[in-house]
Amino acid sequence: MAAKKNEQHPLRIEGYGSAGEGGARLEGQAVFVKGALAGEICQVQLLKVGKSAAWGRVTQVLTPVPGRQSPDCPRYPRCGGCQLRHMTYAEELRFKRQKVQDALQRIGGWTGRVEKIHGAEAPDRYRNKIQFPVADGPRVGFFRARSHEVIDAEDCLLQPLAATRLREAFKLWMERYQVPAYDERVHGGLIRHFYVRVNQRGQSLCAVIANGTDLPHQEELVQALRRAEPDLAGVVLSVNQEKTNVILGKTHRCLWGRDYLEDTLCGLTFRLSVPSFYQVNREQAEVLYGRALAFAGLTGRETVLDLYCGIGTITLVMARQAGRAIGAEVIPAAVEDAKANAARNGVTNAEFLCADAAQAAQTLADRGLRPDVICVDPPRKGLAPAVIDAIVQMAPQRLVYVSCDPATLARDVKRMEEQGYVLQRAEAVDLFPRTAHVETVVLLSQQKPDDTIEIDLDLGELDATAAETKATYEEIKAYVWEKHHLKVSSLYISQIKRKCGLEVGQNYNLSKSENPKVPKCPPEKEAAIMDALKHFQMI
C-alpha cells in the first residue's frame, strides 16, 4: 500500500540529503526528513508524498545519536538563516564532507576521496555582512524559511554584536519617527533593507536601502547609529525603486562619514564599498584561498588567469607567487575596485579586464594566451559550456576550481574530464557554519600522453591482429571516424577489446614508470568503438 500524506511511520535515518535533511526509505521510496540525523530512528509525519520521493518532519526522536544537540537559538528553525543548529558542529562537518564526496562520485563519476574538510574555529558570529529585510511593524530581521515573511530578530548568532546594536538603533529610529516599511505587494512604503558590514578591526559601515531618494529625519538616524556603535565608519543611502527582489539599488549616496571599509585578507588590504563582493567569513576565506594557492602549485614563473575575479582577491593572492596574473570580471565597478586594490597593495604583475567569463576566456584564447594555471570561482550555477570550451582551448596545465555548489562542481568536473582534464584533489572548507552550504576547492590537471604513460608501439601487432578479430586497428579507427566523427587511439581500442574479452597484443610498455597513469577511454568513444566491434562481427 502506498504511503499517504499525514501518515506517521517509525523510520531509520540512513544518511543526509543535500540540504542536511535526514534520508530514509519507506516501502522502497526515498523520504527526506527535516530535523533528523543519520543513524537515528524517528517517528516521522509525511507532509508531502510524490511519485519518486516523500518529505516529512520529525514528531519524536525514538533513538537519538550523539550528533544531536538542543538548538541554541530561540528562532530556530522558523528563521531561514540556519539549517543545522540541531547538529553538533562535528556532525555538521561530517555531513558536509560527505555531501561533497557524494556529489563528486554520483554526478562527477570520481573514484577518489575528499581529503578533508576545514572546519571553522569560530562557528558563530562569523558573518561580516548582514542584510536585514524590513517589514511593517516595523520588523527588522530575517525571512522565515521559504517565504518573504519577516521575522523580527533582536539578535542572530551568525552576526557580530556590532550588527545587533546597529539593528536595534535603526528599528527604534523607524518606530520613533514612524518611517514606513516597503510593501512589495503594492510597491509602496520606503525602507526595504538595512545593511551592515564589519571589518576585522571592528569598524562598521551601514546602508539603508530605500524606495526613494531621501530619508526623513536623516540626521537623527545618523546620530542614533553613531551612538549605538562608536566605531561606525559611514552611513550610505542605496536607492532601489525597482520592482525586484534584488536588494541593493544602482545608486549610492554617502549620508555621513565614508562609503567604504578596508579589510585585510591573506596579508592584502582590500577596500570594500557597499556593493563589493567579499566573502562573508573572512577567517575561512583565508583558508579557502590558501588551499587554492597550494593547489595552483606556483613557482613564480607561471601565468595565472582568474575568472570571476570580483574585486581581485584570488587574483592578487595568486599574483604574489606567479609571474603574471590576469583577472576577469563582468561588473565594471568591481574591476575598478580590483585595479585599485592591486595599486594599494603594490602588486604590479596583475591586470584586470571587464568581461564575462566566457568572453574573457575566449578573448584571451584568441590572443594566443596560454596560461599555466586557470582559477575559477563561479556563481552557484557553475561554468557555462562556452567557458569550459574556452578554458580547454587555452589548455592550462592546471585548473583550480573553487565552488559554492558541489552539484554544479561535479557536473563541470565531468565535462572537463571529457575534455582531457582529470580531477586530482578535492578539499572542502566550511565558510558557512550552521547552514547547509559548503565550499569546495579542487585541482584538475591536463592529462597529456607525456604526463601519463610512455608507449612503445609494435606496428606489426597493431595492424595485424589475430585472424579471428576480423578487423585491424586502422580499420576500426577509420570506421569510427567515418560514422561517429571521433578520433580514437590504439590504446583506447585495446582497452575496449579487453573489456569485451578479446585478445590483444602487448601494444604498450609500462616498465618506464613506477606509477603509470593510463588515460581512460571516454564514454562516447567507448560506445563508438563498441559499435565498430559489432560492425566487424568481433563481438
Side-chain angles (χ1 to χ4, degrees):
M1 182 180 295
K4 297 180 180 179
K5 181 179 178 180
N6 292 325
E7 286 182 347
Q8 293 204 27
H9 298 270
L11 299 179
R12 179 178 295 278
I13 310 302
E14 300 171 357
Y16 292 111
S18 61
E21 69 276 41
R25 301 200 74 82
L26 177 62
E27 298 176 357
Q29 186 178 45
V31 182
F32 298 100
V33 186
K34 186 175 181 180
L37 299 186
E40 292 183 330
I41 297 176
C42 298
Q43 189 73 11
V44 177
Q45 180 184 14
L46 301 180
L47 303 178
K48 180 182 177 181
V49 179
K51 292 182 179 179
S52 58
W55 292 263
R57 69 178 183 90
V58 175
T59 58
Q60 183 181 0
V61 179
L62 302 175
T63 308
V65 295
R68 177 171 291 279
Q69 68 175 19
S70 297
D72 50 3
C73 174
R75 284 166 292 277
Y76 182 84
R78 292 185 302 120
C79 171
C82 297
Q83 296 85 48
L84 306 178
R85 287 200 171 274
H86 60 292
M87 292 183 184
T88 62
Y89 192 49
E91 180 68 11
E92 177 179 336
L93 293 179
R94 190 176 77 84
F95 149 64
K96 289 180 174 179
R97 182 177 182 176
Q98 192 62 46
K99 174 179 177 176
V100 176
Q101 184 74 47
D102 289 346
L104 290 175
Q105 285 183 346
R106 296 173 183 175
I107 302 173
W110 189 47
T111 58
R113 185 74 181 161
V114 175
E115 295 175 22
K116 67 181 300 184
I117 181 167
H118 300 268
E121 291 186 9
D124 285 328
R125 305 229 179 255
Y126 60 84
R127 288 191 66 94
N128 56 43
K129 186 179 77 170
I130 304 93
Q131 297 174 131
F132 298 98
V134 178
D136 186 45
R139 285 168 287 149
V140 182
F142 303 100
F143 288 124
R144 185 187 294 273
R146 298 179 299 281
S147 80
H148 272 202
E149 178 188 351
V150 176
I151 296 175
D152 203 42
E154 297 84 1
D155 188 23
C156 171
L157 293 176
L158 299 186
Q159 73 191 29
L161 289 172
T164 301
R165 293 188 289 266
L166 288 164
R167 174 245 170 226
E168 179 64 18
F170 179 76
K171 181 183 177 182
L172 290 174
W173 169 80
M174 287 189 68
E175 290 175 343
R176 179 175 181 180
Y177 297 104
Q178 297 184 336
V179 181
Y182 176 71
D183 187 340
E184 65 180 358
R185 296 170 299 179
V186 297
H187 192 52
L190 183 62
I191 307 299
R192 302 175 72 131
H193 280 78
F194 180 57
Y195 165 118
V196 179
R197 172 167 260 163
V198 181
N199 66 9
Q200 185 186 18
R201 296 168 56 188
Q203 297 173 322
S204 303
L205 177 68
C206 288
V208 181
I209 295 87
N211 180 37
T213 57
D214 289 294
L215 296 178
H217 303 283
Q218 173 181 304
E219 184 60 29
E220 288 83 354
L221 172 62
V222 169
Q223 293 304 319
L225 295 174
R226 292 180 67 184
R227 285 192 300 269
E229 193 57 36
D231 286 329
L232 184 65
V235 181
V236 174
L237 173 64
S238 176
V239 178
N240 184 354
Q241 296 178 290
E242 304 293 327
K243 293 182 180 180
T244 176
N245 287 331
V246 175
I247 294 175
L248 295 178
K250 296 179 181 178
T251 61
H252 304 86
R253 177 163 59 88
C254 191
L255 303 181
W256 172 83
R258 64 176 188 263
D259 61 357
Y260 66 88
L261 288 179
E262 288 189 346
D263 204 14
T264 302
L265 181 70
C266 297
L268 297 164
T269 300
F270 293 91
R271 179 167 291 188
L272 309 172
S273 60
V274 169
S276 294
F277 173 78
Y278 191 64
Q279 293 284 9
V280 299
N281 188 334
R282 178 197 161 277
E283 287 72 20
Q284 286 296 90
E286 287 192 332
V287 175
L288 180 68
Y289 295 163
R291 299 314 300 152
L293 181 62
F295 281 14
L298 303 178
T299 64
R301 299 185 298 271
E302 294 85 359
T303 295
V304 178
L305 172 60
D306 176 21
L307 299 176
Y308 310 93
C309 74
I311 62 172
T313 46
I314 293 181
T315 313
L316 299 182
V317 169
M318 295 283 183
R320 293 185 301 181
Q321 295 189 24
R324 179 189 183 192
I326 303 168
E329 171 59 51
V330 71
I331 301 173
V335 173
E336 294 306 311
D337 284 345
K339 293 177 179 178
N341 285 326
R344 186 172 296 108
N345 288 281
V347 179
T348 59
N349 64 333
E351 57 190 280
F352 298 91
L353 57 98
C354 189
D356 69 32
Q359 292 172 335
Q362 190 59 55
T363 297
L364 295 172
D366 291 343
R367 292 179 188 172
L369 178 70
R370 292 293 182 265
D372 303 287
V373 178
I374 291 181
C375 183
V376 295
D377 186 4
R380 193 166 299 279
K381 64 183 179 181
L383 300 177
V387 177
I388 292 177
D389 291 343
I391 289 173
V392 171
Q393 184 177 343
M394 285 186 284
Q397 296 173 8
R398 294 178 294 283
L399 173 68
V400 178
Y401 193 140
V402 178
S403 170
C404 60
D405 189 300
T408 56
L409 166 66
R411 177 203 65 196
D412 292 343
V413 163
K414 187 70 173 178
R415 292 173 176 174
M416 293 298 300
E417 182 183 31
E418 293 169 357
Q419 300 279 9
Y421 283 82
V422 177
L423 179 58
Q424 303 283 4
R425 300 183 64 185
E427 294 183 6
V429 181
D430 188 21
L431 256 74
F432 311 102
R434 319 319 276 145
T435 79
H437 302 296
V438 62
E439 294 273 326
T440 310
V441 57
V442 305
L443 170 65
L444 296 105
S445 297
Q446 186 182 42
Q447 186 160 324
K448 299 177 181 179
D450 290 342
D451 297 334
T452 57
I453 185 170
E454 295 184 37
I455 301 174
D456 292 337
L457 297 176
D458 184 333
L459 297 180
E461 286 187 286
L462 293 181
D463 288 335
T465 57
E468 66 269 17
T469 61
K470 301 178 189 263
T472 67
Y473 280 71
E474 293 307 316
E475 288 172 334
I476 294 171
K477 291 178 185 179
Y479 175 87
V480 169
W481 173 255
E482 181 178 350
K483 183 172 180 181
H484 300 280
H485 205 64
L486 291 172
K487 290 184 177 180
V488 295
S489 65
S490 299
L491 178 61
Y492 286 164
I493 296 173
S494 294
Q495 288 178 358
I496 306 310
K497 287 179 69 177
R498 282 195 178 93
K499 196 171 184 179
C500 295
L502 298 176
E503 183 179 350
V504 297
Q506 296 299 316
N507 298 325
Y508 49 87
N509 184 347
L510 303 182
S511 63
K512 295 182 181 180
S513 174
E514 293 182 0
N515 296 296
K517 297 180 180 179
V518 181
K520 183 179 179 181
C521 183
E524 71 276 10
K525 292 188 177 182
E526 178 177 344
I529 294 170
M530 292 285 285
D531 178 46
L533 297 180
K534 292 176 182 177
H535 172 77
F536 290 112
Q537 300 181 354
M538 298 166 69
I539 58 174

